[in-house]
Amino acid sequence: MIRAKCCILLVLLFLALVSSDCQAEPPCGKFFIAIDGGEATPPFYKGAAADNFARDADSIAQWLESKGYEGERRSQWKSSKHPSFTFPPPDPNKKELQKLILSYKDKLQCPTGAQCCHELFIYIRAHGDDDGFVLYNRTGAKYDLEVVMYSELAEWLLELPPCVKLTILIDSCKSGGAIYKMALPLCKRFKQCGVTIMTASDVSSTTSDGNLTENSATEDFMEGATEDNDGDGDKGD
């Protein structure tokens, strides 16, 4: 196992969770936010990108819940059962995402005298580029979308208390740009507990939609997360 106070991981095919020395134990908690960004119509059918994005986000959320995390699931896929970020009015999608992240400020307050770290896992499955990712309106209208810049995401996360072990997994085209936009400020803020950024590609490559012929990076991650890869009896380490 790799151990570090501030870890940054660029992953292309196989994704493995890197942990710091800090672990969440009472009175600290484990939380997650899992998002799929949807896409424009057409199509909305089983096997389309938006459907696959939602399926991947569901698998991550279910896995985290099995590990004792509590969290929020948001989906921009038209047929999803989960809540979505609404397009204006009243607020743009990215404004609602900002509100969701900042709603964790109270939950992530540093307990007086405690030596533990809260854990926050953020998962994003969406269309994107090296600057950010796309949140579509759930109607799928072609121009009803917003781009969340990675620099904006970093700014919101920097408002959280410092006693947080932060893990970010982004399954999106050219998502390696997130490392360049977010790594330095986040590592400085959360150096006490550690930062891990995992991306499905570098700054110039596309990623799989998770169609019938090839796995998505998330599917590859989940294969690793459910196996005992080093024979020590612990799955997913």
Side-chain angles (χ1 to χ4, degrees), residues 22 30 32 87 176 179 188 206 229:
C22 262
K30 301 165 70 174
F32 75 87
F87 210 72
I179 293 176
K188 183 177 180 180
T206 59
N229 299 292

Side-chain angles (χ1 to χ4, degrees), residues 10 129-130 173-180 199 201-205:
L10 173 60
D129 61 21
D130 60 328
C173 291
K174 304 180 180 179
S175 49
I179 293 176
Y180 296 94
T199 68
S201 73
D202 58 21
V203 297
S204 58
S205 301

Side-chain angles (χ1 to χ4, degrees), residues 95 97-110 120 151-164 166 185-186 189-190:
K95 187 70 173 179
L97 174 56
Q98 179 187 21
K99 287 181 177 179
L100 178 58
I101 291 172
L102 296 184
S103 71
Y104 279 83
K105 290 177 72 172
D106 289 340
K107 295 178 182 179
L108 299 174
Q109 287 297 322
C110 305
L120 178 61
S151 58
E152 292 177 311
L153 180 59
E155 289 176 3
W156 304 335
L157 292 170
L158 289 172
E159 295 189 46
L160 299 177
C163 54
V164 177
L166 181 62
L186 292 183
R189 174 63 172 170
F190 301 107

